[in-house]
Every structure is written in structure tokens, then in C-alpha cells.
Amino acid sequence: MTFRLIITGGAGFVGSSLALAFRRDHPKWKVIAFDNLKRRGSELAIERLRAGGVEFHHGDVRCSDDLEAAGPADLLIECSAEPSVHAGYQEGPHYLVATNLGGTINCLEHLRRHGGDLMFLSTSRVYPIAALRALPLERQEDRLALPVDSSGAGWSAAAGISEAFPIAGARSMYGATKLASELLIEEYREMYGVRAVVNRCGVLAGPWQMGKVDQGFVVLWMARHVYGGTLAYSGFGGAGLQVRDILHVDDLYDLIITQLRAFDLHSGATYNVAGGADRSISLRELTQRCQRLTGRHLQVGQVPETRPADVPFFVGDNRSVQAATGWQARRPLDRVLEDVHRWLVDQRARLEPILGT
Ligand SMILES: NC(=O)c1ccc[n+]([C@@H]2O[C@H](COP(=O)([O-])OP(=O)(O)OC[C@H]3O[C@@H](n4cnc5c(N)ncnc54)[C@H](O)[C@@H]3O)[C@@H](O)[C@H]2O)c1
């Protein structure tokens, strides 16, 4: 029997990268990228997917009949989402909740009825905003940082924020739909035996991410440096000191194949998956790196106001996933930036209409 892999959101950044990598490494598998093409730029994936032997299935996770039409899956990787933490504040939560939570439930039901395992891409945004803002951050040159040797419940300066970080408090509608999905996944696992692994990813980056102001800031930053346009440091006074760690999407693929080799062992686990302290960067530092790579100096503006879902710092603690799987991120931050830069230059004709201003 042919192994069937369905990747929902399979025309998106992560979904298409995983689909092509799985198909490359498993040419006998049937790999299906399921997507409603909501995200601007996802349509560019269709040609790439076909060229790589991945079947594209136009469908919407909000609609169980669409999933039914895609057929059963031995493994379903749930990558469809409205992935912006700022979504819902202006336009209301309907699409976000129906896709991010309703879509997960439809995927779970699909697997309950037909069998198959679930790999769920959750987010570091399940951790509450107020608690993250309350971390004792201090300025260290061009970035915010935790004081050396400091630590607290679920965090430490040395390792970052772990799965033990207290979960009480609001986290944005995006974060809430992901946390609610995690809870239902656990119930489906316990009640119906649907095996599932939850990876709470921090910032992922790499080629084919359609970066925009709301989501995908690494690509947005580099695209403005390559194609021109305006950029602004937004929030926390507009100084650009806020920090994230970055994980190359190919390192995520390496982790997922490691987890698949021992799915029973990892089923039921929830892991923080991040680039970690070694791959952390502030916006100001990112500007400097983009300048060095592109030779272009942009005047970055300032928007001092902090948006409701902004957090000044997130560096994920990878130790539990490393201990459980032996996986370690292999690609340094420079590699992420170089890959994104090269892709923007090589694909300029197709990307500039989408990623340019
Ligand atoms: N990129 C990151 O930094 C990051 C970090 C943490 C978690 N994640 C999670 O990883 C997953 C993939 O994120 P991404 O960066 O590839 O986002 P993306 O926006 O590039 O991809 C999501 C895809 O889902 C599709 N989609 C949206 N609504 C849909 C619906 N109702 N039915 C079917 N398809 C739909 C979009 O068209 C898009 O192609 C998401 O679940 C996201 O929350 C991403």
C-alpha cells in the first residue's frame, strides 16, 4: 500500500517546504498538498509542488467534505492556518477560529474515521502575553536580554522559555486557537487513539515564506532591503530592540523525520521547537545583517505604539525536544539569511509583485 501523506496548508511556506522535502526523500509516497490558497503568494507553490511530484488539492480545512475528497492519510501534517498573531483584532475572529480551531477538529475527525497520525504545528504564542512582557528584560547593546544567570518559572537567561512557562492569561486569538487545538488533540488521542505530536514552533524562516508586516518578518526585512520600500520598528517605543530566535524550515523537516521514526514514543508529547539563544536576533541587528548582505542602507522608521499582541522577547528552550529526539538545529542564523537573500534575488520577477511595496 502506498503511504499517503496529506499536508494541510500545503501551498504555504512550511507546508510546501515539507511536502517537497518528503516527496524528494520518499519518491514512492503519495504526498498531497491541501490548501485553499488564502495566503497571497501561496499560488506560486502550485507549479513548484507539481514539478516536485506533489499532488495539489484545492480545499478548505473548514469544510470536512473537502478533506474527505482528499482521501485518507497515513500521516496528516496540519500546516493550514491564519498564522498572524495580529489577526482578528480588527476584522473579528471568525475566519481565524474557523480555520485554526475548526480546521484542526476537522482534521482530527478525518483521522478518527479513517485512521492515520497527526503532526500538529502549534506556536510559541500559546504562552501568555502579559507574562512574557513581565520578564525582567534589560537593554544589552542593540537588543533586549534577560539578565545573565537570571531564571524564573519556565524560563532562564541561559536557555530561554520552556514548556513549563505558566500558561494562565490571554495570548491573542491566534495563540488561543492553537492552545485550544492542542487540548482537543489530547482528547482525541486519549479517547479515540489518534496518535499525535505537537510542536510549538517559534519563528520559522526560509525561502518561499511570503513575509508581510503581520507575519514573516525575516523575509519582509530582507525583501525591503533587496527590492526597496519602507520598514519601521514597531512597538515598545520603536527602538527595534525586540528579540526572537529563528529556525530554518529545513531544520524543522529534520526534526519531523526524526519524530516519525519513533512516532509511538513522541505521540502525546508537546515540544517547544526553536532556533534557541544561538539563533536569536533583534530587529536592529537584523537590519545590520540585511545591510551587510544586500549593500543597501534603508532608513528604518519608528512606530512607538505597542500593538496588543506584541511581545518584546521570545527565545525558545529546545532542551526537552533535544533530549527526547537527539535532534539539534544544524543551520546557523547566517544560513537562514543567506538562503532567503539568494531566493529573493533569484526569484525577483515572480516575487517582487508580491513582496515588493
Ligand atoms: N512561520 C512561522 O514562523 C510559524 C511559527 C509558528 C507556527 N507556525 C505554524 O505553522 C503552520 C504553517 O505556517 P506558515 O508559516 O507556513 O503559514 P502560511 O500562511 O505560509 O501557510 C498557511 C497556508 O494555509 C492556507 N490556508 C489558510 N486558511 C486555510 C483554510 N481554511 N483551508 C486550507 N488552507 C488554508 C494558506 O493559503 C497558506 O498557504 C501554521 O499552522 C502556523 O501557525 C508558523
Side-chain angles (χ1 to χ4, degrees):
M1 289 284 281
T2 306
F3 188 91
R4 294 184 102 251
L5 166 62
I6 296 181
I7 303 187
T8 50
F13 159 52
V14 176
S16 63
S17 306
L18 296 180
L20 286 163
F22 272 111
R23 174 67 198 193
R24 178 197 64 211
D25 293 346
H26 300 278
K28 293 201 171 133
W29 287 13
K30 188 172 183 67
V31 181
I32 299 164
F34 177 103
D35 202 297
N36 71 350
L37 302 180
K38 170 79 164 37
R39 176 99 180 223
R40 175 108 203 275
S42 289
E43 66 281 2
L44 294 186
I46 296 174
E47 192 190 317
R48 282 168 58 229
L49 292 166
R50 287 206 177 115
V54 174
E55 186 179 306
F56 175 69
H57 187 106
H58 190 272
D60 195 310
V61 283
R62 295 172 298 167
C63 174
S64 49
D65 286 348
D66 284 2
L67 279 167
E68 204 58 38
D74 295 291
L75 172 68
L76 189 153
I77 307 182
E78 184 15 354
C79 294
S80 70
E82 166 46 72
S84 168
V85 75
H86 304 292
Y89 284 94
Q90 303 298 327
E91 68 281 19
H94 187 73
Y95 186 84
L96 175 65
V97 172
T99 292
N100 294 14
L101 179 55
T104 307
I105 295 170
N106 285 338
C107 290
L108 285 164
E109 270 299 289
H110 194 65
L111 296 170
R112 182 184 69 80
R113 287 204 302 270
H114 300 291
D117 298 330
L118 177 69
M119 177 70 64
F120 184 70
L121 290 199
S122 190
T123 171
S124 58
R125 288 312 203 125
V126 299
Y127 301 111
I129 295 165
L132 290 172
R133 287 187 184 175
L135 289 170
L137 297 167
E138 60 182 25
R139 182 168 182 167
Q140 290 177 8
E141 299 184 3
D142 279 336
R143 62 160 62 201
L144 295 170
L146 293 162
V148 176
D149 293 336
S150 63
S151 63
W155 64 270
S156 68
I161 288 141
S162 80
E163 297 85 349
F165 196 77
I167 211 80
R171 54 189 48 74
S172 77
M173 204 55 91
Y174 168 67
T177 55
K178 290 289 188 175
L179 186 60
S181 292
E182 288 186 11
L183 289 173
L184 281 162
I185 288 166
E186 182 55 15
E187 297 307 326
Y188 269 76
R189 200 180 65 81
E190 188 66 29
M191 193 173 284
Y192 305 118
V194 175
R195 299 194 306 170
V197 174
V198 173
N199 287 319
R200 287 180 178 164
C201 301
V203 173
L204 301 165
W208 300 105
Q209 182 172 36
M210 299 298 158
K212 51 183 183 172
V213 172
D214 270 10
Q215 199 256 352
F217 74 92
V218 174
V219 166
L220 172 80
W221 233 252
M222 192 68 81
R224 292 290 189 270
H225 279 82
V226 175
Y227 303 148
T230 56
L231 280 176
Y233 299 127
S234 173
F236 306 102
L241 301 175
Q242 54 266 59
V243 168
R244 297 288 187 279
D245 65 68
I246 320 283
L247 186 71
H248 197 299
V249 68
D250 291 347
D251 276 317
L252 175 68
Y253 174 69
D254 289 349
L255 170 64
I256 291 176
I257 50 177
T258 308
Q259 292 171 326
L260 291 184
R261 283 192 204 110
F263 209 94
D264 246 345
L265 183 74
H266 301 297
S267 179
T270 299
Y271 298 119
N272 276 2
V273 173
D278 292 349
R279 293 170 182 76
S280 68
I281 193 164
S282 73
L283 285 177
R284 285 174 91 95
E285 292 165 348
L286 181 59
T287 302
Q288 292 153 18
R289 300 265 198 128
C290 290
Q291 284 175 355
R292 280 208 292 278
L293 269 172
T294 63
R296 185 181 212 142
H297 288 246
L298 285 185
Q299 197 61 42
V300 181
Q302 294 187 308
V303 179
E305 293 77 32
T306 302
R307 293 174 292 180
D310 285 337
V311 295
F313 178 92
F314 195 95
V315 173
D317 180 346
N318 265 337
R319 285 176 301 176
S320 78
V321 75
Q322 284 178 6
T325 63
W327 167 86
Q328 288 209 323
R330 289 190 291 129
R331 293 148 185 95
L333 191 50
D334 278 343
R335 165 77 185 274
V336 181
L337 300 178
E338 284 158 16
D339 283 1
V340 167
H341 177 241
R342 191 177 322 108
W343 165 68
L344 289 167
V345 171
D346 290 352
Q347 300 283 336
R348 181 172 197 135
R350 299 159 91 195
L351 295 175
E352 198 167 2
I354 296 166
L355 297 175
T357 42

